Amino acid sequence: MPNTMRSLLREGNGSLQALGPESTAADAVALMNRRNIGAVLVMTPDETLLGIFTERDVLRRVLGERLDPATMALESVMTREVFWIGPSGTTDQALALVAERNVRHLPVMDEQHVLGMVSVRDLSAAVVRERDMEVAALTSYMHGSYTGHADG
């Protein structure tokens, strides 16, 4: 059975890292480096999602425009159009969305509430785990020790 975003979040993937819109690009880069992540969400104090700030934004909107990361507010350089997936979405649906929209991070949202965020790395690891389980089940079946159903 394919993983859902809810199950990925339960497994410890999709940690939520967020900053306010007044935080600077330098603040975001420091957080991203400290946590070894490629994006942070930009949210209001009441947890309304305003945008996302990614490594790509650092390169294109800050450094590429020769702006000072120490003074540039995230609300000025964040990506405002955020693609997201619901908690019941599957890894396959999430992978299709990241491929279609050319993004590497997807917030997991229930209505307007952000539950977490998954990356392409989280999704790839989930697919590998799913395939490993399928291979183990097929190997077990071929060797006669499969317990997936009663003998008929």
Side-chain angles (χ1 to χ4, degrees):
M1 174 146 187
N3 282 317
T4 64
M5 297 304 102
R6 182 177 287 111
S7 68
L8 285 181
L9 293 178
R10 248 183 276 146
E11 292 172 4
N13 297 303
S15 81
L16 182 59
Q17 301 297 319
L19 292 170
E22 72 290 341
S23 296
T24 66
D27 295 333
V29 168
L31 177 60
M32 291 160 60
N33 285 335
R34 192 168 54 251
R35 299 287 186 169
N36 194 30
I37 56 175
V40 295
L41 296 177
V42 181
M43 300 175 74
T44 63
D46 69 353
E47 298 187 353
T48 299
L49 179 62
L50 300 175
I52 188 170
F53 185 73
T54 68
E55 295 163 320
R56 193 177 292 166
D57 293 325
V58 173
L59 293 173
R60 292 183 180 168
R61 295 184 176 161
V62 180
L63 299 178
E65 296 296 321
R66 299 187 187 281
L67 301 175
D68 181 2
T71 61
M72 190 53 49
L74 287 180
E75 66 186 338
S76 299
V77 291
M78 69 184 181
T79 298
R80 294 181 184 278
E81 185 176 21
V82 180
F83 300 103
W84 56 274
I85 190 163
S88 61
T90 65
T91 52
D92 289 341
Q93 291 169 330
L95 284 167
L97 184 57
V98 298
E100 175 187 326
R101 298 299 185 172
N102 193 30
V103 297
R104 293 183 212 129
H105 301 86
L106 284 178
V108 178
M109 296 182 67
D110 187 8
E111 302 293 325
Q112 297 298 314
H113 182 69
V114 179
L115 304 174
M117 184 162 54
V118 294
S119 68
V120 170
R121 182 178 9 178
D122 299 329
L123 298 170
S124 297
V127 168
V128 168
R129 282 192 308 275
E130 288 174 22
R131 298 308 179 256
D132 285 348
M133 289 179 4
E134 290 172 7
V135 168
L138 288 171
T139 301
S140 175
Y141 176 76
M142 288 173 26
H143 290 19
S145 59
Y146 180 68
T147 60
H149 57 35
D151 290 332

